[in-house]
């Protein structure tokens, strides 16, 4: 994850948590295969697909649960402590997988995490069985697959062996926060399909609710709750997560435009093809002259965006000085995050440092 | 719901519970409108749609939570008792709405509960905004809408003010059971699109996991858990629910073929158009001669099933004596349910009677 040689020991933390979450998911899906066999053979098959899909992620959310916990409690001291952190982290990863499974249907993305996306795996399977409506069948099975992953996430949260008040707080927080993601996603869908302009404010709200709070605040808060922290500490992580998350999302958009598909695992120009409303999109349309704006209109959201279109958008953005502007905004948010992190008291110095590294990685990452 | 004059007082029980759940949902969505406003305007709009959609249901699952509770505790004695029963019932209704919202996308059903289905409402909205991909946009927003309804269901369960062990049992049970529905639904999707035969056993498992356990066992068990019953009583209701649920589902298929669309709210011949694999389907293909089987093949799953096709299928079924056979199977399951109900001890006589009425209604209902 990190490429900072002297922090190699710290890097190990994330790698190890990912491995533990993956093991947890392996055992979970192993058990679920048997359980679902009583319903039909599709259940066993689904477990295999969901396990492979979940394993392909960076597991940043799962890692952040562990980090939120260790920030107050240090390294988990025994099996029991580690178990609950990993279990909650695995739940976060299942929610993320579920959201991505549904997302790929909406965006018609046929690859994800370097593999064929789940709905498209089913579509291919249906095509091989000569089903005339194979694509729709794939979408339908993808909807079910995402739903099951959501329910599994709630199931393992519900099985957490933790004190009642912590249990209640975590379940309520997770359900509430993930419903915000659903509402934010609706906006993303509507804007993706539409050619009308979108305000900077709407984009920032999307970043906050679709990524910032969900990807960073939520797992950090779950970790802090598992560490039995009070509202003040939990609220500090909520803010930190928002700042880090917005910086992360803007960097994500940057990688969508300037990143190397080999590294990001996203198809060339997919954000442009989807007509995704990012800060780049907003600035491009705001600053381009009329002729370029017309060209942009013909490119964003069009069926085929290739290397030529991508190169055009990239150079136009550079001519207009947009990367520097967006870079400045990323810095603003990461500065806020840095200040927030430094203001926190009574935290474990090693894990505060690790969070600080993660922040640096967030804004500098190439994948 | 019931049309038995002398039991009018009992009918009131369900009508009243539905009213209370509806009020609860009204307040919930009112509060959520404000909460979602901080994200985007689509959230408020979604609350309005989900409230209208949820209100249109029979709310049999919500009513069964109350019945499962009252079977042991009698009529709720105070506001607090009633509140938790209604809240858990409302959660069941939200899950059901969510499943239907996703189901309608899979089945391409444009009406539901006498109204335009949710995804199609969005598709129409997108069409009015001249979105070229309006249908897909409707599907995407429908996926999000269903997801949000699921999360809201978990959120209000998580907010239940009940003893820790009951709370844990309910949340685990619900998450587990609803994941089975997702897996069962996958089978329904695959069979719907396919022309290949399906075994009686696979159909019965589908009935058990997609309807029996979920629609009857689960809410009854949640009610019993709220009434702080032990595993034995909870397990009895689980069995009862399976028996009632299978009888209910077979009657549902019967209504899909022989029911009055005005009463059922289902479009004429929609089950046939979907190629839904029911006991009728299985028997028709098993018993028809080769010429009729070919005709059946051209009708089931075809794009346009009208009154003529429906009449043909109906009379063929009657000629082959299928309604009597299926009626016999319904009776077998309702007999099992009756025996199970009568074997239960320490239950409130009035509510046992009410459950017995519900059983009679289940097999005799016309909508």
């Amino acid at each position: 994850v990190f490429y900072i040689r002297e922090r190699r020991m710290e890097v190990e933390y994330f790698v190890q948590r990912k491995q533990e979450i993956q093991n947890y998911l392996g055992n979970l899906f192993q058990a679920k295969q048997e359980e679902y066999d009583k319903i039909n053979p599709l259940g066993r098959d689904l477990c295999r697909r969901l396990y492979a899909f979940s394993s392909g992620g960076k597991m940043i959310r799962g890692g952040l649960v562990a980090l939120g916990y260790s920030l107050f409690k240090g390294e988990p001291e025994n099996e029991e402590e580690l178990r609950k952190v990993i279990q909650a982290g695995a739940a976060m990863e299942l929610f993320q997988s579920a959201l991505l499974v549904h997302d790929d249907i909406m965006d018609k993305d046929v690859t994800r995490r370097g593999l064929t996306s789940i709905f498209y795996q089913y579509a291919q399977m249906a095509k091989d069985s000569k089903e005339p409506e194979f694509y729709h069948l794939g979408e339908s099975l993808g909807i079910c697959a995402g739903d099951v992953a959501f329910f599994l996430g709630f199931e393992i949260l519900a099985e957490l062996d933790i004190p009642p008040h912590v249990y209640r707080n975590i379940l309520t927080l997770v359900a509430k926060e993930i419903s915000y993601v659903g509402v934010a996603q609706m906006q993303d869908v509507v804007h993706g399909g539409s050619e009308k302009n979108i305000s900077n404010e709407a984009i920032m709200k999307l970043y906050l609710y679709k990524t910032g709070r969900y990807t960073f605040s939520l797992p950090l808060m779950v970790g802090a709750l598992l560490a039995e922290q009070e509202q003040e500490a939990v609220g500090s992580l909520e803010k930190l997560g928002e700042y880090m998350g917005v910086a992360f999302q803007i960097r994500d958009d940057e990688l969508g435009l300037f990143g190397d598909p080999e590294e990001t695992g996203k198809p060339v120009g997919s954000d442009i093809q989807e007509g995704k409303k990012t800060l780049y999109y907003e600035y491009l349309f705001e600053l381009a002259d009329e002729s370029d704006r017309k060209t942009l209109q013909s490119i964003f959201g069009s069926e085929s965006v290739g290397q030529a279109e991508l190169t055009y958008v990239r150079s136009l953005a550079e001519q207009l000085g947009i990367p520097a502007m967006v870079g400045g905004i990323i810095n603003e948010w990461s500065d806020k995050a840095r200040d927030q992190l430094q203001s926190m008291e009574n935290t474990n110095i090693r894990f505060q440092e690790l969070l600080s590294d993660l922040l640096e990685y967030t804004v500098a990452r190439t994948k």
Side-chain angles (χ1 to χ4, degrees), chain A:
Chain A
V1 185
F2 295 78
Y3 302 103
I4 310 168
R5 181 183 284 272
E6 61 267 39
R7 297 245 165 82
R8 195 155 187 80
M9 209 186 73
E10 300 297 9
V11 177
E12 290 300 313
Y13 183 83
F14 278 92
V15 174
Q16 212 177 314
R17 294 299 97 97
K18 175 172 166 158
Q19 192 53 57
E20 285 152 353
I21 292 172
Q22 204 168 332
N23 289 346
Y24 179 92
L25 290 173
N27 292 332
L28 174 76
F29 282 114
Q30 187 68 41
K32 286 291 162 189
Q33 282 194 333
E34 316 283 316
E35 201 179 319
Y36 293 164
D37 269 346
K38 68 186 174 192
I39 310 175
N40 62 48
L42 286 156
R44 175 175 286 270
D45 176 76
L46 173 64
C47 289
R48 200 180 47 72
R49 290 175 202 272
L50 284 180
Y51 175 63
F53 187 75
S54 303
S55 301
K58 287 191 284 278
M59 300 207 184
I60 191 166
R61 293 162 194 83
L64 283 171
V65 171
L67 196 43
Y69 179 86
S70 292
L71 200 54
F72 303 101
K73 295 273 190 177
E75 194 85 55
E77 276 170 16
N78 51 48
E79 272 302 307
E80 201 191 323
E81 253 190 89
L82 182 63
R83 166 86 184 185
K84 68 186 179 187
V85 168
I86 295 307
Q87 189 166 331
M92 297 299 120
E93 291 302 324
L94 285 174
F95 292 132
Q96 174 60 7
S97 290
L99 286 168
L100 293 180
V101 170
H102 283 177
D103 215 41
D104 288 339
I105 300 170
M106 301 178 206
D107 294 342
K108 304 185 180 177
D109 274 338
V110 300
T111 60
R112 169 71 76 170
R113 293 173 169 172
L115 299 168
T116 304
S117 58
I118 296 278
F119 93 90
Y120 205 64
Q121 290 177 22
Y122 283 118
Q124 298 287 17
M125 192 179 80
K127 196 178 179 185
D128 292 344
S129 310
K130 311 251 183 276
E131 294 291 348
E133 290 215 61
F134 65 90
Y135 191 90
H136 182 70
L137 212 57
E139 291 177 315
S140 298
L141 291 170
I143 294 174
C144 297
D147 288 349
V148 171
F150 280 130
F151 305 148
L152 273 175
F154 280 109
E155 186 179 333
I156 66 176
L157 276 186
E159 281 173 347
L160 276 171
D161 189 11
I162 50 178
H165 70 285
V166 178
Y167 184 81
R168 164 180 292 274
N169 284 342
I170 288 180
L171 280 156
T172 312
L173 172 69
V174 171
K176 198 185 282 278
E177 205 60 46
I178 201 169
S179 74
Y180 295 162
V181 181
V183 173
Q185 171 69 6
M186 297 183 88
Q187 181 188 343
D188 211 13
V189 167
V190 168
H191 288 151
S194 146
E195 292 198 2
K196 59 178 168 290
N197 250 323
I198 174 171
S199 71
N200 192 299
E201 196 199 341
I203 292 179
M204 294 312 287
K205 276 189 178 177
L206 188 64
Y207 286 176
L208 199 56
Y209 284 99
K210 212 192 138 184
T211 310
R213 295 185 55 87
Y214 161 65
T215 300
F216 289 86
S217 304
L218 177 62
L220 286 171
M221 289 162 85
V222 168
L225 287 169
L226 286 173
E228 300 190 37
Q229 293 303 296
E230 298 300 324
Q231 190 45 48
E232 201 195 323
V234 176
S236 290
L237 285 185
E238 180 177 9
K239 276 223 174 68
L240 174 66
E242 290 186 354
Y243 301 148
M244 277 182 84
V246 171
F248 176 93
Q249 183 57 55
I250 304 177
R251 177 66 188 152
D252 208 58
D253 294 337
E254 201 165 58
L255 289 171
L257 192 55
F258 292 98
D260 176 357
E262 294 268 323
E263 287 205 63
T264 61
K266 279 182 167 186
V268 173
S270 61
D271 281 7
I272 299 176
Q273 196 159 322
E274 284 165 27
K276 205 166 162 185
K277 301 298 176 290
T278 66
L279 286 181
Y280 282 95
Y281 177 96
E282 199 213 341
Y283 285 133
L284 277 165
F285 277 84
E286 194 185 318
L287 302 173
D289 62 24
E290 195 157 324
S291 145
D292 279 325
R293 197 176 299 138
K294 275 192 183 141
T295 312
L296 288 172
Q297 253 154 10
S298 73
I299 292 177
F300 274 86
S302 94
E303 289 286 308
S304 60
V305 172
Q307 197 57 52
E309 289 80 5
L310 183 61
T311 305
Y312 168 81
V313 174
R314 280 179 179 176
S315 18
L316 182 62
E318 271 159 4
Q319 278 166 43
L320 297 170
I322 297 175
M325 292 169 63
V326 173
I329 297 174
I330 294 181
N331 288 339
E332 270 175 45
W333 286 91
S334 54
D335 286 348
K336 280 194 204 184
R338 217 168 280 116
D339 292 348
Q340 178 68 27
L341 186 57
Q342 273 157 13
S343 78
M344 287 188 71
E345 284 164 10
N346 302 320
T347 51
N348 179 299
I349 185 85
R350 183 188 147 208
F351 290 96
Q352 193 161 2
E353 189 76 358
L354 186 50
L355 205 43
S356 165
D357 287 352
L358 183 65
L359 176 61
E360 302 316 319
Y361 164 73
T362 289
V363 296
R365 73 207 164 90
T366 55
K367 62 180 187 178

